[in-house]
Amino acid sequence: MREPVDRRRQRILGVVRSRGAVRVGDLASELEVSVVTVRRDVEELARAGQLRRGHGVVRSIVPVEEAGAAGAAAGAPGARPGEDGAPIGLVVPERHSYLFETLHGARTVLEEAGMRIALHIAPAVSGGERPMVEQALASGVQGLLIAPRWRGLGAEEADYGWLASLGVPTVLMERRPRPGSALHALDSVCSDHWYGVHLAVEHLISLGHRRIVLGARDDSPTARAVRAAFAAIAAERPEVEDWAVTLSSPTAVPEPAERSRAESASPSASESASESAEEPKPDVLDLIRSRGATAAVLHGDVDALMLVQRFQEAGIRVPEDFSVVAYDDVVAALGSTPLTAVAPPKTEVGRAAAELLLHRLRRPAGERAAPVRRIELLPDLQVRGSTGPVNGPESGPESRAGE
């Protein structure tokens, strides 16, 4: 028989008043009801002024007995010895929809665990994360989740030293530092972008495409991972007769000050077996036509949607004449032609990073430090309306250029 609502809410009040503070998830487990039900009850009780709501935590407004209060303070959600429930700092770049999905995943886990969150938005300038981290540390955070912008390798390497010596548990989100660097032994959670590119290329090969172009950004760690993976995979697959890499957008490159010496000396923005980094970077549509390509992978979604619009203006049909796979899947499904897209597990990266940080924070004082963890999560492929089989030698943008 279902428990009456009033009785359940009285039980909630009794538990909260006896402990001082309780996690919503713990209440749901003890009452053997859903978290949604408990949240609804808590909202009504808070509206009636009988308790206080926090981020995933319910707190009593009635003083508990002295002994109970001491126990509640020691065991309060988010509290560590001497830190009295210090918050978790989250540092992400401004105006970055991809990483905001990651942020949402981390926030959900932290709120369910009763942790307070201090969000810091880093401006879109080189080194913009460091002042935000310093502010977070000055405010007394007990741990950090961070996703630096790192537009170039130079900007990335410039952050290695200070990030490695923060003094609080830190987890990188959707970032994989250079092997052997000062951050190699820092906890991190990242999408396996090699596997994401593999899914895209395999899908196109299965549809008969043999001439494939990658139009990719070159101004983020994800972009650099996608470019490197595509070049390696395309070069190794005998089915791929011709491939090339170019910029998906002329502005998708880091500023010179953000590049490292090694980065500026190596081919990157437009490379294939017959091209060098010193040559002008061709427009992605011009490159597709000149190479006779029948398919392209575009990083990211907005550049892919814009390419499809340009195809439509030129009388090129997608997917009848040309197939397009987007990489990111933030807005790929919203185009007039919904785009097939590689979908990194953005939200799950944030969840896993938060869980990893909580695991480290909850280890008893004096216990040997937990091993460093470098977690990779696999993307998946969302097949939609922008990819189809090759129609034969008459298909492709070049064959319809004069129509």
Side-chain angles (χ1 to χ4, degrees), residues 43-315:
E43 286 175 4
E44 290 300 322
L45 292 168
R47 191 175 292 115
Q50 294 181 281
L51 49 73
R52 293 199 308 271
R53 290 189 302 135
H55 290 296
V57 181
V58 187
R59 300 184 187 278
S60 175
I61 62 172
V62 178
V64 295
E65 295 180 5
E66 185 173 350
R80 297 178 73 211
E83 294 182 330
D84 193 25
I88 300 297
L90 271 68
V91 182
V92 295
E94 66 175 329
R95 295 191 296 273
H96 202 304
S97 56
Y98 181 108
L99 289 175
F100 280 4
E101 289 193 38
T102 302
L103 167 64
H104 176 72
R107 173 192 166 193
T108 301
V109 170
L110 294 174
E111 288 183 345
E112 289 176 351
M115 293 290 188
R116 291 193 297 118
I117 298 169
L119 177 62
H120 297 265
I121 307 296
V125 296
S126 182
E129 286 79 19
R130 187 168 188 174
M132 299 298 101
V133 170
E134 290 173 348
Q135 287 181 24
L137 294 175
S139 69
V141 297
Q142 59 175 308
L144 278 170
L145 296 174
I146 183 169
R149 187 179 296 271
W150 284 348
R151 295 190 71 219
L153 286 176
E156 177 178 336
E157 291 167 353
D159 285 346
Y160 283 175
W162 65 267
L163 271 175
S165 57
L166 292 180
V168 298
T170 301
V171 180
L172 288 172
M173 300 186 297
E174 201 59 289
R175 299 292 181 253
R176 180 71 74 232
R178 175 175 55 79
S181 69
L183 293 188
H184 189 106
L186 190 70
D187 289 327
S188 61
V189 182
C190 188
S191 299
D192 184 345
H193 295 299
W194 182 95
Y195 186 74
V197 174
H198 163 77
L199 290 176
V201 173
E202 283 292 315
H203 177 62
L204 293 173
I205 288 175
S206 73
L207 294 171
H209 296 281
R210 299 295 182 262
R211 306 177 74 83
I212 306 171
V213 164
L214 172 70
R217 305 184 66 83
D218 195 21
D219 58 355
S220 74
T222 296
R224 293 189 287 275
V226 167
R227 295 167 71 87
F230 180 84
I233 292 169
E236 291 176 357
R237 291 302 300 263
E239 300 95 331
V240 179
E241 297 172 2
D242 186 75
W243 61 273
V245 178
T246 192
L247 285 172
S248 56
S249 168
T251 61
V253 293
E255 297 296 326
E258 297 173 307
R259 291 180 173 272
S260 70
R261 191 175 306 169
E263 181 184 16
S264 60
S266 63
S268 60
S270 176
E271 56 192 353
S272 70
S274 60
E275 295 174 344
S276 68
E278 287 73 22
E279 294 174 349
K281 283 63 176 178
D283 172 80
V284 62
L285 183 52
D286 292 340
L287 180 64
I288 286 168
R289 282 174 163 158
S290 67
R291 305 299 284 253
T294 62
V297 180
L298 267 292
H299 175 258
D301 289 0
V302 172
D303 292 325
L305 290 167
M306 292 178 68
L307 177 64
V308 171
Q309 290 176 191
R310 293 179 64 190
F311 278 160
Q312 292 172 340
E313 293 166 0

